[in-house]
């Protein structure tokens, strides 16, 4: 059954300050990523101390996680695009293997 | 140490419009899934354009991610169950390998 | 390019009641974990029935997911630390393989 075919892709989870969300999604858009999901209002603790996410009034300090699924060939260019950003701002990118039920949604 | 045994399962992350959350959880219930976690109020961009998640008043356009862990044998039946749904609605299912610390919670 | 080196780590996703968040993050801190991200206000269904997450006034029943990335050697000690807790409270830990773009953030 063709509809059930699972396609191996790379899942990227980009955790950054909410203030930089547009930078990240613009970068993904330019890289050819067609779909992503954003989990907002995260709390977190990193090198810079603790960031309380929910019930904050200053949206700019809230962390967000941008989840996307991309062909393996896109991982390196996307990470390269983020390198100058991460030299200045806190955040992290997780990369893992997933299988996706609807490939068409995530590639041009 | 028995308590620490990690059980290999498949993680399924089902990203759909919040309006269809009950359809998805009913499908999981009928498939024999005992536990799942729902991340609400997501933003996202897919083929249908951008959906702004948080602070929306119309709950029906908010995206949710339903996370569950299932034995490998359940993946195909669950994806089959979603096939007619995804022919009509936007969304995606990610499948990945995980190990779970408490198998009892996720199987009958 | 050194900046792009991806480091293989273990991702741990700890799903517990929000009331126990500090217990979990204290345990992670003591284990030497430097960074984690917390997704709050989750809904969920486990052995104990359905927990409605968002719009709840009683924060103590809300579920949270604590996401962290650790060297493989830390997985067993962390799970051991959680064992007495999970003998009394609901929750689950997912462990999976990931690659992380910035190792320094997650180890001492």
């Amino acid at each position: 059954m063709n509809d059930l075919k699972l396609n191996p892709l790379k899942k990227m989870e980009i955790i950054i300050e909410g203030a930089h969300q547009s930078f990240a999604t613009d970068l993904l858009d330019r890289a050819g990523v067609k779909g992503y999901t954003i989990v907002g209002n995260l709390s977190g603790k990193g090198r810079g101390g603790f960031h309380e996410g929910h019930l904050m009034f200053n949206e700019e300090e809230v962390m967000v996680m941008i989840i996307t699924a991309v062909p393996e060939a896109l991982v390196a260019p996307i990470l390269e695009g983020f390198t100058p950003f991460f030299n200045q701002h806190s955040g992290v990118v997780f990369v893992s293997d997933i299988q996706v039920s609807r490939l068409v949604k995530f590639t041009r």
Side-chain angles (χ1 to χ4, degrees), chain A:
Chain A
M1 236 182 298
N2 247 0
D3 283 343
L4 286 177
K5 214 178 102 195
L6 286 168
N7 301 279
L9 291 175
K10 293 289 183 180
K11 184 186 186 185
M12 301 186 79
E13 292 166 300
I14 301 155
I15 300 173
I16 55 175
E17 287 175 38
H20 303 301
Q21 175 178 319
S22 297
F23 167 81
T25 54
D26 287 352
L27 193 156
L28 294 178
D29 286 340
R30 286 196 308 275
V33 174
K34 286 290 268 252
Y36 44 78
T37 300
I38 302 167
V39 186
N41 274 7
L42 304 182
S43 305
K45 184 189 171 190
R47 278 180 302 186
F50 194 84
H51 301 267
E52 183 64 33
H54 36 132
L55 301 180
M56 282 194 62
F57 285 80
N58 181 357
E59 276 274 321
E60 308 227 322
E61 290 171 352
V62 174
M63 307 292 287
V64 298
M65 177 165 56
I66 303 167
I67 305 170
T68 189
V70 302
E72 183 159 14
L74 281 186
V75 173
I78 290 171
L79 290 177
E80 271 181 59
F82 276 110
T83 299
F85 174 83
F86 283 132
N87 286 337
Q88 295 199 299
H89 301 287
S90 62
V92 71
V93 181
F94 295 158
V95 180
S96 59
D97 293 313
I98 51 157
Q99 298 194 291
V100 174
S101 62
R102 306 180 85 199
L103 183 60
V104 63
K105 192 165 183 183
F106 292 98
T107 52
R108 284 190 195 280

